[in-house]
């Protein structure tokens, strides 16, 4: 089970017991915000992209819930077009199902980037491996626990 893998992964930061499991779905930004009682922007949306053609890895981007990919910025940053993974490929390459994809307990070689849109919040809520899970973290805790490669600016506000 993906949540158990995340729980074990977060143990090294003593955060394994902080995972919130809901009786309702948190699989989308609006559902997660409603379940957690927070504004949608504070949901740390984890997006999975094809890293490079046929290299067998995902590129993970965590962004604020009120943002979307700016294709020009993405291409300038990563040198490729933003191509989101299919639900099947997301599960295969991240170990987590869509709706529960998160920046934790990922296969070796998976790069995680955090979008600067998250920095404006005291805390944010990424998923934890299932479509009914979340954890509250500061952006600095998220960076540390996700073992993020770095911060990027590749998003724009949803109009």
């Amino acid at each position: 089970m993906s949540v158990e893998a995340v729980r074990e992964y977060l143990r090294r930061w003593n955060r394994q017991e902080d995972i919130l499991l809901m009786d309702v779905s948190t699989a989308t930004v609006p559902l997660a915000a409603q379940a957690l009682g927070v504004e949608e922007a504070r949901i740390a949306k984890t997006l999975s992209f094809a890293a490079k053609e046929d290299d067998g890895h995902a590129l993970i981007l965590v962004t604020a819930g009120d943002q979307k990919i700016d294709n020009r910025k993405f291409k300038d940053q990563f040198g490729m077009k933003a191509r989101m993974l299919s639900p099947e490929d997301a599960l295969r390459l991240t170990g987590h199902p869509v709706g529960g994809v998160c920046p934790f307990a990922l296969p070796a070689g998976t790069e995680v980037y955090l979008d600067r849109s998250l920095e404006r919040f005291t805390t944010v809520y990424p998923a934890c491996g299932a479509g009914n899970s979340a954890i509250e973290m500061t952006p600095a805790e998220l960076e540390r626990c996700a073992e993020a490669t770095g911060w990027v600016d590749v998003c724009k506000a949803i109009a």
Side-chain angles (χ1 to χ4, degrees), residues 10 14-15 17-22 36-38 42-44 104 121-128 133-142 144-145:
L10 291 174
N14 201 31
R15 296 298 308 268
E17 299 303 323
D18 297 335
I19 296 173
L20 305 169
L21 294 176
M22 311 292 171
L36 294 162
V38 300
R42 287 186 57 208
I43 302 304
F104 314 120
F121 300 107
T122 304
T123 61
V124 294
Y125 294 86
C128 288
S133 66
I135 189 169
E136 184 177 16
M137 293 183 157
T138 67
E141 289 169 332
L142 177 59
R144 185 173 51 255
C145 293

Coordinates of all heavy atoms in Angstrom, one line a residue, residues 10 14-15 17-22 36-38 42-44 104 121-128 133-142 144-145:
L10 N 8.7 8.5 5.8 CA 8.7 9.7 6.7 C 9.2 9.4 8.1 O 9.4 10.4 8.8 CB 7.3 10.3 6.7 CG 6.8 11.0 5.4 CD1 5.3 11.4 5.6 CD2 7.7 12.2 5.0
N14 N 10.7 11.5 11.7 CA 9.7 11.4 12.7 C 8.4 12.0 12.4 O 7.7 12.6 13.3 CB 10.3 11.9 14.1 CG 9.6 11.4 15.3 OD1 9.1 10.2 15.2 ND2 9.5 12.2 16.3
R15 N 8.0 11.9 11.1 CA 6.7 12.5 10.7 C 5.7 11.4 10.3 O 4.6 11.7 9.8 CB 7.0 13.4 9.5 CG 7.8 14.6 9.7 CD 7.2 15.6 10.7 NE 5.9 16.0 10.5 CZ 5.5 17.1 9.8 NH1 6.4 17.9 9.2 NH2 4.2 17.4 9.6
E17 N 3.7 9.6 11.9 CA 2.3 9.6 12.5 C 1.5 10.9 12.2 O 0.4 11.0 12.6 CB 2.5 9.5 14.1 CG 3.2 8.2 14.5 CD 2.4 7.0 14.1 OE1 1.2 7.0 14.0 OE2 3.1 6.0 13.7
D18 N 2.1 11.8 11.4 CA 1.5 13.0 11.0 C 0.6 12.9 9.8 O -0.1 13.9 9.4 CB 2.5 14.2 10.9 CG 3.2 14.4 12.1 OD1 2.7 14.2 13.2 OD2 4.4 14.9 12.0
I19 N 0.6 11.8 9.1 CA -0.2 11.6 7.9 C -1.7 11.6 8.3 O -2.1 10.9 9.3 CB 0.1 10.3 7.2 CG1 1.6 10.3 6.7 CG2 -0.8 10.0 6.1 CD1 2.1 9.0 6.1
L20 N -2.5 12.4 7.6 CA -3.9 12.5 7.8 C -4.6 11.6 6.8 O -4.4 11.7 5.6 CB -4.4 13.9 7.7 CG -3.6 15.0 8.5 CD1 -4.0 16.4 8.0 CD2 -4.0 14.8 10.0
L21 N -5.4 10.7 7.3 CA -6.3 9.8 6.4 C -7.7 10.3 6.6 O -8.2 10.3 7.7 CB -6.1 8.4 6.8 CG -4.7 7.8 6.5 CD1 -4.6 6.4 6.9 CD2 -4.3 7.9 5.0
M22 N -8.3 10.6 5.5 CA -9.7 11.1 5.5 C -10.7 10.0 5.2 O -10.4 9.0 4.5 CB -9.9 12.3 4.5 CG -8.8 13.3 4.6 SD -9.0 14.2 6.1 CE -7.5 15.2 6.0
L36 N -9.9 19.2 4.2 CA -9.0 19.8 5.2 C -9.4 21.1 5.8 O -8.8 21.6 6.8 CB -7.6 19.9 4.6 CG -6.9 18.6 4.2 CD1 -5.8 18.8 3.2 CD2 -6.4 17.9 5.4
G37 N -10.4 21.7 5.2 CA -10.9 23.0 5.6 C -9.9 24.1 5.4 O -9.8 25.0 6.3
V38 N -9.2 24.1 4.3 CA -8.2 25.1 3.9 C -8.5 25.7 2.5 O -9.2 25.1 1.8 CB -6.8 24.6 4.0 CG1 -6.4 24.1 5.4 CG2 -6.5 23.5 3.0
R42 N -3.5 26.3 -0.8 CA -2.5 25.6 0.2 C -2.4 24.1 0.0 O -1.6 23.5 0.6 CB -3.0 25.9 1.6 CG -2.7 27.3 2.0 CD -3.0 27.6 3.5 NE -2.3 26.7 4.4 CZ -2.8 26.4 5.6 NH1 -3.9 26.9 6.0 NH2 -2.1 25.6 6.4
I43 N -3.1 23.6 -1.0 CA -3.0 22.2 -1.3 C -1.7 22.1 -2.2 O -1.6 22.8 -3.2 CB -4.2 21.6 -2.1 CG1 -5.5 21.8 -1.2 CG2 -3.9 20.2 -2.5 CD1 -5.4 21.1 0.2
A44 N -0.7 21.3 -1.8 CA 0.5 21.1 -2.5 C 0.3 20.0 -3.6 O 0.4 18.9 -3.3 CB 1.6 20.8 -1.6
F104 N 7.0 11.8 -1.9 CA 7.7 11.0 -0.9 C 7.7 9.5 -1.4 O 6.8 9.1 -2.1 CB 6.9 11.0 0.4 CG 6.5 12.4 0.9 CD1 5.2 12.8 1.0 CD2 7.5 13.4 1.1 CE1 4.9 14.0 1.4 CE2 7.2 14.6 1.5 CZ 5.8 15.0 1.7
F121 N 3.3 30.4 1.7 CA 2.4 29.9 2.8 C 3.3 29.4 3.9 O 4.4 29.0 3.8 CB 1.6 28.7 2.2 CG 0.7 29.0 1.1 CD1 1.0 28.6 -0.2 CD2 -0.4 29.8 1.4 CE1 0.2 29.0 -1.2 CE2 -1.3 30.1 0.3 CZ -1.0 29.7 -1.0
T122 N 2.7 29.5 5.1 CA 3.3 29.0 6.3 C 3.4 27.5 6.3 O 4.4 26.9 6.6 CB 2.6 29.5 7.6 OG1 2.5 30.9 7.5 CG2 3.3 29.0 8.9
T123 N 2.2 26.9 5.9 CA 2.2 25.4 5.7 C 1.4 25.1 4.5 O 0.5 25.9 4.1 CB 1.5 24.7 7.0 OG1 0.2 25.2 7.1 CG2 2.4 24.9 8.2
V124 N 1.6 23.9 3.9 CA 0.9 23.4 2.8 C 0.6 21.9 3.0 O 1.1 21.3 4.0 CB 1.7 23.6 1.5 CG1 1.9 25.0 1.1 CG2 3.1 22.9 1.6
Y125 N -0.2 21.3 2.2 CA -0.7 20.0 2.4 C -0.5 19.1 1.1 O -1.3 19.1 0.2 CB -2.2 20.0 2.7 CG -2.6 20.6 4.0 CD1 -2.8 22.0 4.1 CD2 -2.7 19.8 5.1 CE1 -3.1 22.6 5.3 CE2 -3.1 20.4 6.3 CZ -3.3 21.8 6.4 OH -3.6 22.4 7.6
P126 N 0.6 18.4 1.1 CA 0.8 17.4 0.0 C 0.1 16.1 0.3 O -0.2 15.8 1.5 CB 2.3 17.2 -0.1 CG 2.8 17.5 1.3 CD 1.9 18.5 1.9
A127 N -0.2 15.3 -0.7 CA -0.8 14.0 -0.5 C 0.3 13.1 0.1 O 1.5 13.4 0.1 CB -1.3 13.4 -1.8
C128 N -0.1 11.9 0.5 CA 0.8 10.9 1.1 C 0.6 9.5 0.5 O 0.6 8.5 1.2 CB 0.6 10.9 2.6 SG 1.3 12.3 3.4
S133 N -5.4 11.1 1.5 CA -4.3 11.3 2.5 C -3.7 12.7 2.3 O -3.8 13.3 1.2 CB -3.2 10.3 2.3 OG -2.6 10.4 1.0
A134 N -3.1 13.2 3.4 CA -2.4 14.5 3.3 C -1.5 14.6 4.5 O -1.6 13.8 5.5 CB -3.4 15.6 3.3
I135 N -0.6 15.5 4.5 CA 0.2 15.9 5.7 C 0.5 17.4 5.6 O 0.6 18.0 4.5 CB 1.6 15.1 5.7 CG1 2.3 15.3 7.0 CG2 2.4 15.4 4.5 CD1 3.5 14.3 7.2
E136 N 0.4 18.0 6.8 CA 0.7 19.5 6.8 C 2.2 19.7 7.1 O 2.8 19.1 8.0 CB -0.1 20.1 8.0 CG 0.1 21.6 8.0 CD -0.8 22.3 9.1 OE1 -1.3 21.6 10.0 OE2 -0.9 23.5 9.0
M137 N 2.8 20.5 6.2 CA 4.3 20.8 6.3 C 4.5 22.2 6.0 O 3.8 22.8 5.2 CB 5.1 19.9 5.4 CG 5.1 18.4 5.7 SD 6.2 17.6 4.5 CE 6.5 16.1 5.4
T138 N 5.6 22.8 6.6 CA 6.1 24.0 6.1 C 6.8 23.8 4.7 O 7.2 22.6 4.5 CB 7.1 24.7 7.1 OG1 8.3 23.8 7.1 CG2 6.5 24.8 8.5
P139 N 7.0 24.8 3.9 CA 7.7 24.6 2.7 C 9.1 24.1 2.9 O 9.6 23.2 2.2 CB 7.7 26.0 2.0 CG 6.4 26.6 2.5 CD 6.3 26.1 3.9
A140 N 9.8 24.5 4.0 CA 11.1 24.0 4.3 C 11.1 22.5 4.7 O 12.0 21.8 4.3 CB 11.7 24.8 5.4
E141 N 10.1 22.1 5.4 CA 9.9 20.7 5.8 C 9.6 19.9 4.5 O 10.2 18.8 4.4 CB 8.8 20.5 6.8 CG 9.1 21.0 8.2 CD 7.9 21.0 9.1 OE1 6.7 21.1 8.6 OE2 8.1 20.9 10.3
L142 N 8.8 20.4 3.6 CA 8.5 19.7 2.4 C 9.8 19.6 1.6 O 10.0 18.5 1.0 CB 7.4 20.5 1.6 CG 7.0 19.9 0.3 CD1 6.5 18.5 0.4 CD2 6.0 20.9 -0.4
R144 N 12.9 19.4 2.6 CA 13.7 18.4 3.3 C 13.2 17.0 3.1 O 13.9 16.1 2.7 CB 13.9 18.8 4.8 CG 14.8 17.9 5.5 CD 15.1 18.4 7.0 NE 13.9 18.7 7.7 CZ 13.4 19.9 8.0 NH1 14.0 21.0 7.6 NH2 12.3 20.0 8.7
C145 N 11.9 16.8 3.4 CA 11.3 15.5 3.4 C 11.2 14.9 2.0 O 11.2 13.7 1.8 CB 10.0 15.5 4.2 SG 10.1 15.7 5.9

